[in-house]
């Protein structure tokens, strides 16, 4: 429990440094509300940050606040494993799409991220990358009908994909009819800019492809699943390249 509290505080200190750097003047009250802790806890955090050498200034009086010197850099990033995995796969997607812009240093960044993983975690990341497919660019018709899915839906499906757990969807098909589906999200497909889930659908007892932005809601299911052979999803794979 003590270790968890220490990790929570270290993470909060990092977030405070970034917030004070980006947002400029912040009040202790606002910081406490943002991080769901007491004002006394934030005050102690700020004292510790000053002791670590961060140039934090305070404006006294009514309406005053605290700020981090704009010339000071936040320093080295400390990413969690999940954050590093997301960044690594995002880099792989950009590389696979052969993006010509802002890619000059991506190879070096990717190598540093990979080097930070243990051999077991590197194997797990390679497994995730092999389950992300890059297809063709979506048609103008499809792009015009695209709408961003709710953030909660994205987070739920993202977690289920990584953990290989089922997810229950409320899904609207092309005709506008909605239905409840429990699926196993085996693969993700990007037909830029549209994401699809290639899944085994328990309702149909067969493989199905779901368009991400047509998911109305998503909740975690109760079961884990084993990856099926790629041959089960051959129709979805045809013409699409995995990130390997």
């Amino acid at each position: 429990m003590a270790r968890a509290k220490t990790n929570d505080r270290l993470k909060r200190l990092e977030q405070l440094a970034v917030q004070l750097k980006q947002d400029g003047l912040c009040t202790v009250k606002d910081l406490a509300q943002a991080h769901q802790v007491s004002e006394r806890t934030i005050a102690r955090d700020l004292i510790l940050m000053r002791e670590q050498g961060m140039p934090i200034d305070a404006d006294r009086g009514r309406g005053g606040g605290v700020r981090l010197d704009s010339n000071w850099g936040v320093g080295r990033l400390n990413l969690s494993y999940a954050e590093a995995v997301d960044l690594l796969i995002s880099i792989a997607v950009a590389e696979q799409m052969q993006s010509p812009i802002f890619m000059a240093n991506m190879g070096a960044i990717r190598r540093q991220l990979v080097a930070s993983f243990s051999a077991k975690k590197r194997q797990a990341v390679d497994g995730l990358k092999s389950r992300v497919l890059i297809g063709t660019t979506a048609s103008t018709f499809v792009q015009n009908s695209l709408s961003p899915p709710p953030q909660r839906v994205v987070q739920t499906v993202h977690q289920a994909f990584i953990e290989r757990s089922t997810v229950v969807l409320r899904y609207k098909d092309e005709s506008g009819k909605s239905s409840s589906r429990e699926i196993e999200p085996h693969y993700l497909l990007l037909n830029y800019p549209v994401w699809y889930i290639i899944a085994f659908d328990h309702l149909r007892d067969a493989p199905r492809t779901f368009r991400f932005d047509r998911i109305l809601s998503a909740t975690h299911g109760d079961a884990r699943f084993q990856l099926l052979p790629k041959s089960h999803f051959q129709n979805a794979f045809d013409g699409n390249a995995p990130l390997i």
Side-chain angles (χ1 to χ4, degrees):
M1 182 65 70
R3 183 180 180 85
K5 289 184 177 180
T6 299
N7 290 337
D8 288 345
R9 189 179 193 192
L10 290 174
K11 189 69 174 179
R12 187 173 65 249
L13 291 174
E14 293 171 5
Q15 293 171 346
L16 281 170
V18 173
Q19 188 173 354
L20 291 173
K21 175 75 173 179
Q22 293 179 338
D23 298 345
L25 193 66
C26 300
T27 67
V28 171
K29 181 179 180 180
D30 289 341
L31 292 172
Q33 291 176 346
H35 295 274
Q36 298 183 337
V37 295
S38 67
E39 293 183 31
R40 177 177 292 184
T41 295
I42 292 295
R44 286 198 295 262
D45 288 343
L46 295 173
I47 291 173
L48 180 57
M49 292 167 72
R50 289 191 181 97
E51 291 175 349
Q52 292 176 339
M54 296 185 190
I56 297 175
D57 299 324
D59 289 344
R60 300 185 181 278
R62 187 174 183 179
V66 292
R67 64 163 63 89
L68 191 58
D69 191 318
S70 60
N71 294 318
W72 186 83
V74 171
R76 175 174 291 185
L77 290 175
N78 293 311
L79 299 177
S80 68
Y81 171 67
E83 291 168 339
V85 167
D86 283 356
L87 180 56
L88 188 61
I89 292 180
S90 296
I91 291 172
V93 169
E95 289 178 330
Q96 188 75 12
M97 294 178 67
Q98 299 181 344
S99 171
I101 306 298
F102 305 120
M103 292 297 295
N105 298 313
M106 288 298 101
I109 295 173
R110 172 169 41 79
R111 287 190 293 273
Q112 291 181 61
L113 286 171
V114 170
S116 70
F117 296 152
S118 65
K120 184 177 180 180
K121 287 183 176 179
R122 283 198 294 271
Q123 186 177 11
V125 172
D126 287 341
L128 285 172
K129 288 168 60 181
S130 70
R131 295 167 58 204
V132 181
L133 312 174
I134 302 297
T136 58
T137 301
S139 68
T140 302
F141 174 79
V142 171
Q143 291 189 46
N144 287 340
S145 65
L146 180 65
S147 58
Q151 185 63 26
R152 181 168 295 182
V153 166
V154 174
Q155 293 171 343
T156 301
V157 175
H158 173 271
Q159 184 176 353
F161 173 75
I162 291 177
E163 296 179 352
R164 295 185 190 176
S165 61
T166 58
V167 60
V168 178
L169 307 180
R170 191 70 186 169
Y171 187 76
K172 181 176 65 176
D173 63 19
E174 187 174 4
S175 67
K177 182 180 179 180
S178 63
S179 61
S180 180
R181 309 288 187 93
E182 184 173 13
I183 67 168
E184 301 171 1
H186 286 255
Y187 297 90
L188 298 179
L189 166 64
L190 174 62
N191 283 348
Y192 183 83
V194 185
W195 281 96
Y196 296 85
I197 305 168
I198 301 173
F200 185 83
D201 182 3
H202 289 192
L203 178 65
R204 305 300 184 191
D205 196 28
R208 289 290 187 271
T209 300
F210 297 88
R211 205 170 113 175
F212 223 112
D213 63 309
R214 287 183 179 156
I215 301 174
L216 303 175
S217 65
T219 56
H220 293 289
D222 298 325
R224 296 291 183 94
F225 63 86
Q226 295 294 323
L227 286 177
L228 294 172
K230 289 186 176 181
S231 58
H232 279 65
F233 307 96
Q234 195 57 53
N235 289 339
F237 281 169
D238 288 343
N240 301 313
L243 292 176
I244 54 176

